[in-house]
């Protein structure tokens, strides 16, 4: 029994150590989960802001295109009037001055239109200032996040206090087990005393049997021992007194035995209750261990899901801007040169959203992402960093290979459609050969090349 209690105490100590370690791991994973969730919220806000900025730019581009169409129509009208004026020149020499005056008016309108464009540029500067203000707001949000982290630290301290209380409770349980061991030792001693008293009782019974035999023998010899009767009676009286003493001692021994049996029963009952309590505590501990295992599995699953969402675009399944920025820093080393950045922008997404709805625009983005993946190599890193903008990181890839990848994607896009809408993506790329060249400059050049190609497509 002592070995069993020692083993149970050792098992309990191991379980407490495992529970403490699991609690610390759970607190650490909770902090990691909160940080990833906060970063995901910030990334989503940045993506929403960028989409809004892109929508504004697209709206401004639509307005500029409408103004350009209007100006072209005006120019066509003026050209028609000029043709008529030339035909009528032979007949209406006097009207020439009036037509010249109309031409001056047209020039003034053109000057007015140029002034309107300058106003649009000024409005764009104001929008940039608003962007700077929003960046400041983002810094304020980061400060609020720091406060939230401090609150999380306070909650973790509260958890540590609870763990300390659990340790104290476990120490009390160990003390109770030691008390139970003492009761068991007392029970063993009581059992030994009971065995000793039983042996004494058997000795007294044997003496009583011998006395009875002597009494029978003395009765048979009574006639012959008449002279010795007085002596025999005295001896009998003495023996009777001894017998009474033995009987009294036997009664006392029986009472002690009954009392000890009752004490033994009480100890056994206490031991049974203690064992039931120990079994209950072990069952509770097993339940807590199972609950902790389930909680840990759920936490691992949630962490994996958060990690996936924090690095992937929900719509297309490609990597997102956050992953792109971290991966770009990792790849910007001499071992990955030449390093090429390939930027793609889906053509006509704003027009399709306005004409067919955003659901059709989402389908177009998904299909465009599939086309880009099919055209790229298996190790190429494809990211969606904005509403209609994709970036492909090509380590150890020169400009000629980037050109082949672009050509391959364009050829695949010609074979794909979303309903009656063709897949059209404008690309631009730039390659870093020199380790001293800043990667931001490479990105800017690739972005500029992409927009130049986009304007050429729109012109065509």
């Amino acid at each position: 029994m002592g070995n069993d209690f020692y083993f149970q105490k050792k098992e309990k100590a191991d379980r407490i150590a495992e529970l403490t370690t699991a609690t610390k791991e759970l607190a650490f994973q909770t902090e990691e989960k909160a940080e990833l969730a906060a970063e995901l919220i910030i990334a989503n806000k940045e993506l929403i802001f960028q989409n809004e900025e892109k929508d504004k730019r697209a709206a401004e581009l639509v307005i500029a295109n409408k103004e350009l169409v209007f100006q072209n129509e005006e120019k066509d009208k003026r050209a028609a009037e000029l043709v008529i004026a030339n035909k009528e020149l032979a007949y209406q020499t006097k009207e020439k001055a009036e037509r010249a005056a109309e031409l001056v008016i047209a020039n003034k309108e053109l000057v007015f239109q140029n002034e309107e464009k300058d106003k649009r540029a000024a409005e764009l500067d104001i929008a940039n200032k608003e962007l700077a203000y929003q960046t400041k707001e983002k810094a304020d949000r980061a400060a609020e996040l720091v406060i939230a982290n401090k609150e999380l630290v306070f909650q973790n301290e509260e958890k540590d206090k609870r763990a300390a209380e659990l340790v104290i409770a476990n120490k009390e349980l160990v003390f109770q087990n030691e008390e139970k061991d003492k009761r068991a030792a007392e029970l063993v001693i009581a059992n030994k005393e009971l065995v000793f008293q039983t042996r004494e009782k058997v000795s007294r019974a044997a003496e009583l049997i011998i006395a009875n035999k002597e009494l029978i023998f003395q009765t048979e010899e009574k006639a012959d021992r008449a002279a010795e009767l007085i002596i025999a009676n005295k001896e009998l009286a003495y023996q009777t007194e001894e017998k009474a003493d033995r009987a009294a001692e036997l009664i006392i021994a029986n009472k002690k035995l009954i009392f000890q049996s009752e004490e033994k029963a009480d100890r056994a009952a206490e031991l049974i209750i203690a064992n039931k309590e120990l079994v209950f505590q072990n069952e509770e501990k097993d339940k807590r261990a199972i609950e902790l295992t389930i909680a840990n599995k759920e936490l691992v699953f949630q962490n994996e899901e958060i990690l996936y969402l924090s690095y992937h675009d929900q719509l297309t399944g490609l990597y997102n801007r956050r992953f792109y920025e971290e991966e770009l820093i990792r790849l910007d080393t001499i071992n990955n040169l030449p390093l090429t950045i390939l930027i793609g922008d889906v053509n006509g997404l704003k027009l399709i959203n306005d004409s067919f709805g955003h659901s059709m625009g989402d389908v177009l983005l998904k299909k465009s992402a599939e086309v880009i993946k099919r055209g790229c190599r298996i190790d190429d890193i494809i990211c969606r960093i904005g509403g209609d903008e994709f970036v492909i990181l090509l380590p150890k890839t020169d400009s000629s290979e980037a050109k082949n990848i672009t050509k391959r994607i364009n050829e695949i896009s010609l074979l794909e459609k979303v309903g009656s809408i063709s897949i059209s993506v404008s690309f631009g790329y730039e390659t870093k050969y020199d380790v001293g060249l800043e990667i931001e400059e490479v990105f800017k050049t690739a972005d500029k090349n992409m927009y130049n190609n986009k304007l050429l497509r729109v012109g065509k």
Side-chain angles (χ1 to χ4, degrees), residues 33-97:
K33 181 177 176 183
E35 291 176 1
L36 290 175
E39 291 176 358
L40 182 60
I41 291 170
I42 293 171
N44 287 333
K45 289 182 179 178
E46 289 179 353
L47 182 60
I48 292 169
F49 175 74
Q50 291 170 358
N51 289 334
E52 291 175 351
E53 285 295 309
K54 219 169 246 185
D55 292 340
K56 290 179 182 178
R57 297 294 179 276
E60 291 175 358
L61 184 59
V62 171
I63 294 171
N65 288 332
K66 289 181 180 179
E67 289 179 352
L68 184 59
V69 171
F70 175 74
Q71 291 171 3
N72 290 332
E73 291 175 352
E74 287 293 313
K75 286 180 181 178
D76 292 339
K77 290 179 182 179
R78 296 296 179 275
E81 290 176 358
L82 187 58
V83 171
I84 294 170
N86 288 330
K87 289 180 180 179
E88 292 177 353
L89 184 60
Y91 305 99
Q92 300 174 352
T93 305
K94 293 181 181 180
E95 294 292 323
K96 184 177 180 181

Side-chain angles (χ1 to χ4, degrees), residues 1 179-191 259-275:
M1 183 179 295
E179 288 293 314
K180 287 174 184 176
D181 292 339
K182 292 179 181 178
R183 294 292 183 280
E186 292 173 357
L187 185 60
V188 171
I189 294 171
N191 287 331
F259 175 75
Q260 290 173 353
S261 297
E262 292 175 352
E263 285 290 312
K264 183 178 178 182
D266 293 339
R267 295 292 185 279
E270 291 176 356
L271 186 59
I272 291 171
I273 295 171
N275 287 331

Side-chain angles (χ1 to χ4, degrees), residues 31 34-35 142-158:
E31 292 176 357
E35 291 176 1
E144 293 175 356
L145 182 60
V146 171
I147 294 172
N149 286 333
K150 291 181 179 179
E151 292 178 353
L152 183 59
V153 170
F154 174 76
Q155 293 173 355
N156 288 332
E157 292 176 350
E158 288 293 316

Side-chain angles (χ1 to χ4, degrees), residues 199-264:
R199 290 175 180 174
E200 287 292 313
K201 181 179 177 182
V202 170
S203 298
R204 296 293 185 277
E207 292 176 357
L208 185 61
I209 291 170
I210 293 170
N212 287 331
K213 288 180 179 180
E214 289 176 355
L215 181 61
I216 292 170
F217 176 77
Q218 291 169 2
T219 302
E220 291 175 349
E221 293 290 323
K222 184 179 181 181
D224 298 331
R225 298 289 185 273
E228 299 175 356
L229 182 60
I230 296 172
I231 297 171
N233 286 333
K234 290 181 178 179
E235 289 179 355
L236 181 61
Y238 174 75
Q239 291 172 357
T240 301
E241 290 176 356
E242 286 290 315
K243 184 179 178 181
D245 292 338
R246 296 289 185 278
E249 290 177 358
L250 185 60
I251 291 170
I252 294 170
N254 287 332
K255 289 182 179 180
K256 287 182 179 180
L257 182 61
I258 293 170
F259 175 75
Q260 290 173 353
S261 297
E262 292 175 352
E263 285 290 312
K264 183 178 178 182

